[in-house]
Amino acid sequence: MTITTGKQLSGTGKLTQKTRRQAIWMVLPAIIYLLVIGIFPLLFALYLIVHKWVLSSGKPPQFIGFGNIIRLIQDERFFIALGRTVAFAVGVVTIEFLLGLLIALLLLNHGRMLLRTFVLLPMIIAPTVVGLTWRFMFNSEIGVLNFFFDIMGLESPLWLGDTTIAKFSIVLVDVWEWTPFIILILLAGLMSLPPDVEEAAHVDGANYWQMLWYVKLPLLRPAIFVALMFRAIDALRTFDTIFVLTAGGPNNVTELLSIYAYKVSFRFFEMGYGTVLAAVLLIIVLLFSRLLVPILEKR
Amino acid sequence: MDTNKKNNGNFVKKLMDGGAFGLLALYILFCLFPILWIILTSFKTHAAINTFPPQFIFIPSFENYNTLLTSHDFIGFLTNSIITATVSTALVMALGIPAAYSLARYGIGGHRLSDWILSMRMFPPIALVVPLFLMFRFVHLLQTVWALILVYTAMNLPFAIWLMIGFFKDVPKDIDDAALVDGCTPWTALWKINVPAVAPGLAAAAILSIIFAWNEFLFAVILGGGTAKTLPVAVAGYVTDRAIFWGPMSAASVIALVPIVIFAMFVQRYLVRGLTLGAVD
């Protein structure tokens, strides 16, 4: 669409050469800016990937070729973090989708604008605030969640201290933080469904569930796809919330790939290997985003 | 029998409605409770916070806010946050508005360019933070607000351009074509016709950019820190392995979230569009 616009203008004659030149000048500063701050670091990352550079040692970077890559494929901690990251992403996206769909449908029928405003709060406040608020509520001595468990006569779990429960605790926090995102997208999708479809289905005697399954969900498919893709990408990239919540602990069971990459880079100061770990995440995310790009461009 | 069935149906429907409302209420409570809890906590004294069972009714104390707002350091962090968020957003708009207009109207670079801008939005910050750390270290910009301003501009520019392309495309092209024929340059067409026409959308893009910059943590902790600490880093600094100060943490959190909540109210209508890069309206 954008391309035809350009062609049409260039068809109208002399004016357009000048117009076109001005149009290029309009976009150039932004492009140069993104090249310097966005793309140059990536090229620099390629340099880092083939070098051993331990900042704390004071030694200059040393070329090691595929050394970092070989280390990567022998690094058990990396594979565990990678598998954990994928499991985390699959887990949170599934739960958030099901819960989000349910709440979106409920809001569609019972929703007031005010309720919608409440619902979006968790995802707009700072991830560090989210992580620390939950850390406070999870606290084993003064945490309010343990108080609720006490009232119900249940034994309070060690939310962040137990190596099994901690994995579910970080999922719970992510579900709290990001289900609103799914709700907002699906609600917007549901509200834009043409009313005549629903009426026709009504006349044909479809009940609520049949209507949902055979009419609404298929029509909603594009919105669902967009919601799932965005969530999957963001779940794979998750860092802030979990970092302040557990920093990967206890015993590294909540160490996502982004957190492992952070530790290698800024606790052990291994710039080269840290970059390799982050690059794996970048490649996965970019592959995912390729699926999303055509949909976004169609609009 | 027929009426009986109908009554039954009504009853089931009412029951389901009640159940639905109950579920919804439960979810809203789940959403709001942590936020309310951190706000309540921020008004408790140190002693009140560290008691179990936790107190729900108590005499509010401004101890934590007093500590923060009379602390020279904290005022500095707050100032850093305000500066980085506003200056980076100003840069985003200055670079982004002409670029978005040009891409939307004149198709400069075609699909490839907008494609690339979009992919930049998906970069995991962790993949950029090491090279950026070394680059800023080299030019001695670490621990300055400038490092954060430069990075936040790059972080928000792709999404802002993408979002604004959508807004500019909403303006009928005929108006622009007519203006060009009348001797307008693209610049004057942009400022006199297009910007006023999509002003609310541009404001929404700016507010989203402020929100993202205000909330950002990873770049802030690695590139900023020290004298360039922003609120999210300060908040995290109250809870470390060595010492935990829930009181100041909660008060700082509330100070960090209040402006964001207010801003979000303004952009609610554009939030979905902004967060999905225009894929869902």
Side-chain angles (χ1 to χ4, degrees):
Chain A
M1 244 166 59
T2 44
I3 293 168
T4 48
T5 316
K7 271 181 192 154
Q8 274 164 8
L9 274 175
S10 58
T12 55
K14 265 183 275 168
L15 175 85
T16 48
Q17 254 325 349
K18 211 173 128 204
T19 306
R20 202 181 149 72
R21 204 173 315 132
Q22 280 205 18
I24 290 174
W25 276 110
M26 286 174 136
V27 82
L28 216 52
I31 299 301
I32 293 171
Y33 191 88
L34 288 177
L35 279 175
V36 174
I37 311 280
I39 299 297
F40 181 74
L42 280 188
L43 297 176
F44 189 36
L46 289 178
Y47 169 89
L48 291 171
I49 283 173
V50 291
H51 285 78
K52 185 182 173 74
W53 189 1
V54 184
L55 215 53
S56 50
S57 73
K59 285 187 205 146
Q62 175 200 351
F63 179 81
I64 53 166
F66 289 111
N68 284 322
I69 311 281
I70 291 164
R71 180 171 163 192
L72 182 78
I73 51 181
Q74 291 171 341
D75 184 359
E76 199 190 355
R77 191 167 167 183
F78 156 69
F79 284 104
I80 293 172
L82 178 64
R84 184 181 292 131
T85 304
V86 172
F88 173 78
V90 171
V92 298
V93 173
T94 309
I95 297 171
E96 285 161 15
F97 171 66
L98 295 175
L99 182 60
L101 180 63
L102 174 72
I103 302 299
L105 289 168
L106 293 177
L107 272 174
L108 187 68
N109 296 333
H110 302 268
R112 302 281 175 275
M113 265 336 262
L114 190 64
L115 293 188
R116 269 167 231 172
T117 310
F118 287 156
V119 161
L120 67 84
L121 289 177
M123 73 173 178
I124 54 153
I125 62 181
T128 39
V129 170
V130 172
L132 290 171
T133 298
W134 279 93
R135 188 163 159 180
F136 179 54
M137 297 201 305
F138 281 145
N139 188 283
S140 55
E141 280 149 27
I142 53 168
V144 70
L145 290 182
N146 284 2
F147 170 68
F148 291 148
F149 270 64
D150 282 358
I151 292 180
M152 294 187 289
L154 300 168
E155 200 189 328
S156 348
L158 276 172
W159 297 97
L160 300 175
D162 184 281
T163 49
T164 310
I165 294 167
K167 293 180 196 171
F168 294 99
S169 297
I170 64 168
V171 169
L172 171 67
V173 175
D174 196 87
V175 166
W176 181 80
E177 190 177 9
W178 289 111
T179 304
F181 180 76
I182 305 260
I183 295 174
L184 282 190
I185 293 183
L186 295 189
L187 193 59
L190 282 167
M191 291 200 297
S192 67
L193 290 184
D196 45 328
V197 178
E198 204 165 323
E199 280 159 26
H202 246 313
V203 172
D204 289 344
N207 68 29
Y208 180 81
W209 300 107
Q210 288 169 326
M211 187 125 78
L212 179 63
W213 189 254
Y214 293 108
V215 182
K216 286 186 178 172
L217 283 185
L219 284 171
L220 216 53
R221 208 176 290 158
I224 291 174
F225 181 76
V226 168
L228 292 183
M229 290 304 297
F230 266 103
R231 269 314 298 142
I233 288 171
D234 284 342
L236 290 167
R237 306 193 300 179
T238 302
F239 176 81
D240 301 5
T241 312
I242 311 301
F243 183 74
V244 297
L245 190 62
T246 66
N251 203 10
N252 292 342
V253 294
T254 60
E255 188 179 81
L256 302 172
L257 188 51
S258 60
I259 292 176
Y260 182 40
Y262 173 90
K263 283 184 189 164
V264 170
S265 305
F266 297 109
R267 294 241 168 109
F268 315 142
F269 292 106
E270 294 211 44
M271 298 293 135
Y273 192 54
T275 304
V276 171
L277 291 169
V280 174
L281 194 62
L282 175 69
I283 290 165
I284 297 172
V285 166
L286 283 185
L287 285 177
F288 256 95
S289 71
R290 302 309 322 160
L291 296 173
L292 191 55
V293 165
I295 307 270
L296 293 171
E297 294 214 317
K298 238 192 303 180
R299 72 199 168 111
Chain B
M1 200 178 153
D2 213 355
T3 46
N4 201 0
K5 207 177 188 179
K6 203 175 172 190
N7 278 341
N8 248 341
N10 267 342
F11 178 69
V12 169
K13 193 173 157 16
K14 265 191 190 145
L15 200 70
M16 286 208 8
D17 270 2
F21 199 77
L23 267 176
L24 193 58
L26 210 61
Y27 180 75
I28 304 272
L29 186 68
F30 171 64
C31 265
L32 288 186
F33 181 77
I35 298 170
L36 293 176
W37 190 241
I38 208 71
I39 294 173
L40 275 186
T41 303
S42 73
F43 289 106
K44 288 182 183 176
T45 59
H46 179 78
I49 289 170
N50 287 292
T51 48
F52 193 88
Q55 301 172 337
F56 287 83
I57 295 159
F58 56 92
I59 300 158
S61 141
F62 290 88
E63 181 185 290
N64 300 316
Y65 291 99
N66 243 331
T67 313
L68 291 184
L69 295 174
T70 53
S71 143
H72 187 67
D73 284 349
F74 185 79
I75 298 297
F77 307 152
L78 187 61
T79 314
N80 288 339
S81 268
I82 294 170
I83 290 174
T84 49
T86 50
V87 177
S88 70
T89 299
L91 279 172
V92 164
M93 298 314 274
L95 293 166
I97 290 175
Y101 172 70
S102 179
L103 289 166
R105 210 39 115 226
Y106 306 103
I108 300 301
H111 270 295
R112 188 145 305 177
L113 194 58
S114 38
D115 199 85
W116 175 65
I117 288 174
L118 198 59
S119 294
M120 289 215 41
R121 173 77 187 104
M122 311 288 177
F123 280 0
I126 190 77
L128 288 177
V129 75
V130 172
L132 284 172
F133 170 77
L134 294 168
M135 280 163 63
F136 283 122
R137 183 169 168 265
F138 187 71
V139 294
H140 300 289
L141 277 180
L142 282 184
Q143 303 206 349
T144 67
V145 285
W146 281 108
L148 295 182
I149 289 169
L150 291 172
V151 171
Y152 290 167
T153 304
M155 175 179 89
N156 284 328
L157 193 52
F159 115 85
I161 289 178
W162 188 261
L163 191 59
M164 292 191 292
I165 286 177
F167 291 131
F168 283 126
K169 277 187 178 168
D170 289 347
V171 181
K173 201 171 76 67
D174 302 350
I175 301 178
D176 258 16
D177 287 350
L180 288 182
V181 171
D182 286 350
C184 264
T185 66
W187 282 105
T188 48
L190 169 62
W191 294 118
K192 295 224 168 103
I193 300 165
N194 288 275
V195 167
V198 297
L202 301 186
I207 288 177
L208 285 173
S209 163
I210 289 179
I211 293 178
F212 294 149
W214 183 269
N215 284 347
E216 203 283 331
F217 175 69
L218 179 60
F219 292 129
V221 77
I222 296 298
L223 308 176
T227 50
K229 235 188 229 181
T230 56
L231 279 185
V233 183
V235 169
Y238 294 120
V239 180
T240 64
D241 294 338
R242 262 158 279 158
I244 289 176
F245 304 100
W246 295 118
M249 184 282 276
S250 56
S253 295
V254 173
I255 292 171
L257 72 82
V258 165
I260 294 305
V261 170
I262 294 169
F263 275 145
M265 302 281 170
F266 282 115
V267 289
Q268 232 190 101
R269 205 158 71 77
Y270 295 97
L271 206 59
V272 175
R273 195 170 172 171
L275 291 170
T276 61
L277 303 173
V280 177
D281 235 333

